[in-house]
Amino acid sequence: MEDLEQTPQEVKLIVTEEMRSYIYEISKWARFLSIIGFILAAFLIIGSFGIGAALTANPAMVAQLGPLAGAGAIGVTIVYLLLALMYFYPSLLLFRFSNKGKQGVLYGDQESLNDAMMNMKSLFKFWGIFTIAIMICYFLFMLLFAASMVKA
């Protein structure tokens, strides 16, 4: 009976030197990938305004957009800006992970390592939610395609 009434022991994890080297190397790759993501987001932002201006200047290009033609230049600009945001936010989380992870490993700063893991958790949560949303869209597109095939 005494064993059931014991207070739970605090679990302490130990970060070994091998784990620290892994986190340090992951931080370097995360920094590289985040910078590439920032560059791609910047290109998408610049492209969004460029393609919007090109569509406004040349209405013949709008006809080549197919289903996006109804949205016009402003719609295409908004789509590109949303794509840029989809690149920027995960890149920002990776960059934060990189900085905090490197600081935590190099200086033995537990709070920085905690912040790094929080950013990594947020990154995976973002991609999980995004993946679920894409899967739902695929399912809806398949339903619409099937419905259009039945009507034909």
Side-chain angles (χ1 to χ4, degrees):
M1 188 70 165
E2 291 177 21
D3 290 336
L4 296 176
E5 295 179 12
Q6 289 180 353
T7 59
Q9 297 291 324
E10 184 179 331
V11 177
K12 293 194 177 210
L13 298 175
I14 298 171
V15 179
T16 64
E17 284 301 315
E18 186 179 16
M19 291 168 63
R20 288 178 65 176
S21 71
Y22 292 154
I23 293 171
Y24 184 74
E25 190 168 338
I26 291 169
S27 295
K28 289 193 289 187
W29 282 107
R31 181 179 211 81
F32 169 73
L33 292 173
S34 67
I35 290 170
I36 296 299
F38 288 143
I39 292 169
L40 288 175
F43 282 148
L44 281 170
I45 290 170
I46 292 167
S48 70
F49 294 115
I51 199 164
L55 290 175
T56 303
N58 188 359
M61 286 181 66
V62 176
Q64 297 175 355
L65 289 177
L68 288 176
I74 293 174
V76 173
T77 300
I78 290 172
V79 167
Y80 270 79
L81 288 174
L82 288 174
L83 286 173
L85 182 64
M86 296 300 291
Y87 269 95
F88 179 79
Y89 182 67
S91 298
L92 179 64
L93 292 174
L94 263 179
F95 189 75
R96 288 179 181 168
F97 166 78
S98 171
N99 288 338
K100 294 293 185 173
K102 192 178 289 187
Q103 181 180 351
V105 167
L106 289 178
Y107 302 113
D109 186 3
Q110 184 66 47
E111 188 174 331
S112 291
L113 196 55
N114 289 344
D115 288 345
M117 292 300 122
M118 180 192 66
N119 283 302
M120 187 56 66
K121 175 202 68 94
S122 296
L123 177 69
F124 281 105
K125 185 177 179 180
F126 170 81
W127 280 117
I129 292 170
F130 182 73
T131 301
I132 291 169
I134 292 297
M135 289 172 62
I136 290 171
C137 288
Y138 281 153
F139 181 72
L140 291 175
F141 286 139
M142 287 189 319
L143 285 178
L144 288 172
F145 180 73
S148 69
M149 294 301 286
V150 169
K151 287 183 181 180

